[in-house]
Amino acid sequence: MKNRRLYVTLGVIALVVILIFSGAKNTYNSMVKYDEGVNVAWSQVVTDYQRRMDLIPNLVNTVKGYADFEQETLIGVIEARSNASKVNLNVDNLDENSLRMIEQTQAALSSALSRLLVTVERYPDLKANTNFRDLQAQLEGTENRIANARRKFNEATQEYNFYIRQFPKNIYASIFGFRTKPYFEAAEGAEKVPEVQF
């Protein structure tokens, strides 16, 4: 009788240990899967940023061919590109401050490119240049890719953050070192409708 009770107790303990181990293993593996989803989405953002960075020298060289083009505008684009290339885009160091820094440098680069493209309007010969038009189309396509990649990053981040914040998964997340990740946010003032004057 004593042996039977001992075997039943050991069996129950073994079953509980197996269930706890299985739950922890499944939760950990799911956290890894969602974390990798964020990493893949971030890699696409970085790839699209790099594509834009690679297009800029060609665009600047095409515009430089027009001797009377505003040098200040070109210098602004070159400096903004340089500043953007200095920011660390490593997903392992991604927190709210580093993401804000990335957003600021990329916004400054977008702004400098916008000024360049607005300035080009005053140069009909440059606007008619086939190389310039092709580069401009590629740049516009890249901007759309960046917006799409950022949206997908936010979706992957939301899924990951939601998963690790649920109870009891939040306990495992804390034990295994999984932390919430930041989102891309709209630029300040983006909610305001631009004022158009004729």
Side-chain angles (χ1 to χ4, degrees):
M1 184 87 158
K2 274 186 173 179
N3 284 343
R4 187 170 181 222
R5 242 187 262 172
L6 178 64
Y7 290 137
V8 169
T9 303
L10 289 176
V12 168
I13 291 172
L15 183 62
V16 168
V17 167
I18 289 170
L19 289 174
I20 290 172
F21 173 78
S22 178
K25 177 185 75 78
N26 291 338
T27 299
Y28 179 83
N29 289 341
S30 293
M31 287 181 197
V32 169
K33 179 182 95 172
Y34 290 124
D35 187 49
E36 281 303 308
V38 172
N39 292 345
V40 167
W42 180 250
S43 295
Q44 189 58 52
V45 171
V46 171
T47 299
D48 291 336
Y49 280 161
Q50 187 60 50
R51 177 180 164 78
R52 177 170 58 180
M53 298 284 273
D54 293 345
L55 287 171
I56 290 171
N58 295 333
L59 185 68
V60 168
N61 287 335
T62 301
V63 172
K64 269 185 187 176
Y66 290 80
D68 57 344
F69 195 83
E70 288 92 352
Q71 291 300 309
E72 185 178 315
T73 306
L74 287 176
I75 290 170
V77 170
I78 293 166
E79 287 176 355
R81 180 185 184 274
S82 174
N83 290 338
S85 68
K86 292 176 187 173
V87 176
N88 184 358
L89 299 177
N90 187 342
V91 72
D92 296 330
N93 301 329
L94 200 58
D95 60 13
E96 287 183 23
N97 290 334
S98 62
L99 190 59
R100 193 174 306 116
M101 176 75 98
I102 291 166
E103 287 179 309
Q104 288 171 351
T105 58
Q106 293 297 328
L109 181 56
S110 292
S111 177
L113 284 169
S114 293
R115 281 192 302 278
L116 174 74
L117 295 176
V118 166
T119 304
V120 164
E121 293 297 319
R122 292 184 237 153
Y123 297 86
D125 291 343
L126 178 56
K127 279 177 47 178
N129 181 304
T130 306
N131 286 341
F132 178 78
R133 283 196 325 246
D134 290 347
L135 287 167
Q136 185 178 15
Q138 287 183 43
L139 197 57
E140 288 169 2
T142 300
E143 293 298 328
N144 290 334
R145 286 181 180 188
I146 289 170
N148 192 38
R150 287 172 54 140
R151 180 185 53 78
K152 286 181 179 179
F153 171 80
N154 278 351
E155 289 171 357
T157 300
Q158 178 188 23
E159 195 172 3
Y160 167 81
N161 286 345
F162 177 76
Y163 187 83
I164 70 166
R165 291 180 63 208
Q166 295 178 68
F167 181 80
K169 295 169 186 144
N170 60 342
I171 296 169
Y172 291 122
S174 178
I175 291 169
F176 295 125
F178 289 92
R179 304 284 177 257
T180 58
K181 298 191 185 287
Y183 297 98
F184 278 108
E185 296 178 7
E188 235 177 84
E191 71 283 356
K192 297 177 186 171
V193 177
E195 190 176 310
V196 179
Q197 295 178 355
F198 293 99

